[in-house]
Amino acid sequence: MPENAASFPKSQIERILAESAVQVLETMFFTLPAEEPVDCEPDQDIVTCIKFRGNPNGEFYQRINRRAAAELAANFLGQDPAEEVTEEQIYSVTSELANVMAGAALSCLESDSLFELDPPSSRPPEFWEVAPEAACCRVELENGRIELCLYLKQAA
Amino acid sequence: MAYRVLIVDDSPAMRKFIRRVIEVSGFDCSQQLEASNGREALDVLSREWVDLILTDINMPVMNGEQFIRELEKDETLRQVPVLVVSTDSTLQRVQQMLSLGARGYVTKPFTPEMLRSQLERLLEENHA
């Protein structure tokens, strides 16, 4: 009988989130995590949310600082890092990053059942409102950091 | 022999990424056509012949599942091999898409080598 991912220990979900994030960053964004937190100038954050339906339902949140997002976008699109990526490209790639991150983590957590991801929605940084029960992880990058949270709703 | 490929994904960034991955992988591709959902892809296929289709699943207007069902209804289009490229790697989803008619399945994240090997396998099988 498959176990519902909402019953997994929070630490296990956080480990899966972190491992999925590193795999996605390395494979498709050609970026290795930084070993130590890097001092960054204050920067604007980009927040992306994806609601999903499965066993169980829930929400995935991603927060990344703009400078790191711009570098990931340049890597993903194969553009010269010196070339200015447009705001539209940054948001498009940031949404895709969240989509792949969420899919990779949920494929591990909900491997015995189907799940559906809603389209990613970008939010202003002040709308970073994550439930206290959510499992979260943080990956340090050369130009900032990315934070991921997964909130699995308990069945009613 | 150079092949014509149709990439179906609602994300322009992902379409560009797949285009680039196909190029750097060394896969012999003469033309890459694009569509942002299954409906647009059917429009493209009404005008153009392609050797291979890569499609996402989660898309607005017509998703990957509906798109493959439409392809399977057409005697000509059902001969074109379809490779699903999705974030969803659950066994149920893979089995569902293969049973509908997809010939291969690649999970995001993927490397250029993974994509190339799938593309070559599908074309070899189709020309066997």
Side-chain angles (χ1 to χ4, degrees), chain A residues 2-144:
Chain A
E3 196 177 358
N4 184 316
S7 65
F8 288 4
K10 198 171 172 179
S11 60
Q12 185 180 352
I13 299 172
E14 288 171 345
R15 182 180 54 77
I16 288 171
L17 262 183
E19 288 175 355
S20 301
V22 170
Q23 188 194 10
V24 170
L25 288 168
E26 287 184 5
T27 310
M28 295 182 81
F29 293 82
F30 314 106
T31 299
L32 292 170
E35 291 185 4
E36 301 286 338
V38 178
D39 285 335
C40 295
E41 294 172 18
D43 198 0
Q44 190 182 356
D45 285 335
I46 299 172
V47 171
T48 310
C49 174
I50 299 177
K51 293 184 176 177
F52 57 89
R53 292 170 300 285
N55 179 28
N57 298 334
E59 292 168 2
F60 175 87
Y61 294 89
Q62 173 185 280
R63 177 162 65 178
I64 183 169
N65 61 304
R66 196 190 175 286
R67 191 166 305 143
E71 184 173 304
L72 292 181
N75 288 353
F76 188 76
L77 298 171
Q79 295 186 195
D80 187 329
E83 186 184 341
E84 188 71 27
V85 287
T86 66
E87 202 70 9
E88 187 181 355
Q89 286 175 321
I90 291 172
Y91 277 87
S92 177
V93 172
T94 302
S95 292
E96 197 53 42
L97 172 66
N99 193 41
V100 179
M101 292 273 198
L106 288 172
S107 290
C108 290
L109 289 164
E110 303 194 356
S111 60
D112 294 314
S113 59
L114 292 173
F115 63 84
E116 301 275 351
L117 299 178
D118 280 355
S121 64
S122 295
R123 298 179 174 190
E126 57 269 28
F127 283 89
W128 176 256
E129 293 172 356
V130 179
E133 311 92 290
C136 296
C137 77
R138 178 175 165 137
V139 179
E140 303 294 339
L141 302 170
E142 193 179 328
N143 283 320

Side-chain angles (χ1 to χ4, degrees), chain B residues 64-79:
Chain B
E65 180 185 332
Q66 295 164 324
F67 174 48
I68 293 174
R69 286 185 197 278
E70 289 300 314
L71 293 176
E72 287 297 306
K73 289 178 189 170
D74 186 291
E75 279 301 316
T76 306
L77 293 178
R78 66 186 305 179
Q79 296 170 31

Side-chain angles (χ1 to χ4, degrees), chain B residues 68-105:
Chain B
I68 293 174
R69 286 185 197 278
E70 289 300 314
L71 293 176
E72 287 297 306
K73 289 178 189 170
D74 186 291
E75 279 301 316
T76 306
L77 293 178
R78 66 186 305 179
Q79 296 170 31
V80 182
V82 176
L83 178 65
V84 174
V85 183
S86 172
T87 57
D88 187 343
S89 65
T90 58
L91 185 60
Q92 278 196 52
R93 182 71 72 198
V94 176
Q95 287 175 337
Q96 178 198 43
M97 300 309 288
L98 294 177
S99 69
L100 284 176
R103 309 262 187 93
Y105 199 106

